[in-house]
Amino acid sequence: MYEPTKQIDQFLIAGFQYHDGADVLNKLEVGTKLDLVPEFDNPYDPNAVAIKYKGVHLGYVPRDKNSLIAQLLFFGHKDVVRCKVVQRDEKADPREQVRVKLYLKDKR
């Protein structure tokens, strides 16, 4: 059966507590689209992929999950990878406040 969009992963945003997510947490509703920005010159992880909301750095795709996404972005496939908020819990520990899902989207 054909699926125009397929979920490929789900995770908490890594490093959320160290970046500017608290400044926009109340705007991150379920379904909010987020930007994936590769950081190929990141000195700690060449596969680092930042997660941003309207230019605000929220954190990263976890290191153990970023290799495929980094490669897709490196080879110009940004238009087929989507990131959306699926859970927000303002009362949780900052490391566990925002969960996202990654999707592959058909280019059609």
Side-chain angles (χ1 to χ4, degrees):
M1 178 176 194
Y2 173 72
E3 295 180 59
T5 302
K6 181 157 181 77
Q7 177 185 329
I8 58 171
D9 216 336
Q10 178 179 172
F11 49 81
L12 294 166
I13 296 176
F16 188 80
Q17 71 275 22
Y18 300 117
H19 299 282
D20 300 321
D23 296 341
V24 295
L25 184 60
N26 63 336
K27 297 177 183 175
L28 301 178
E29 301 292 334
V30 171
T32 300
K33 293 179 184 177
L34 304 175
D35 297 317
L36 297 171
V37 181
E39 293 185 353
F40 301 118
D41 60 350
N42 185 303
Y44 302 103
D45 182 1
N47 289 324
V49 178
I51 299 175
K52 297 186 177 187
Y53 171 73
K54 296 186 177 182
V56 176
H57 190 175
L58 305 177
Y60 290 92
V61 173
R63 183 182 300 243
D64 64 336
K65 299 177 179 282
N66 68 6
S67 181
L68 171 63
I69 300 307
Q71 292 303 309
L72 287 170
L73 297 174
F74 179 80
F75 287 110
H77 299 293
K78 182 177 184 176
D79 55 336
V80 299
V81 181
R82 300 284 187 263
C83 182
K84 292 184 181 181
V85 175
V86 293
Q87 181 182 354
R88 180 190 78 196
D89 184 352
E90 294 177 11
K91 296 178 183 177
D93 180 292
R95 294 172 292 184
E96 300 176 349
Q97 287 182 322
V98 181
R99 177 175 293 279
V100 299
K101 281 187 183 179
L102 293 182
Y103 301 88
L104 286 182
K105 184 179 184 317
D106 190 336
K107 288 178 71 169
R108 291 191 244 176

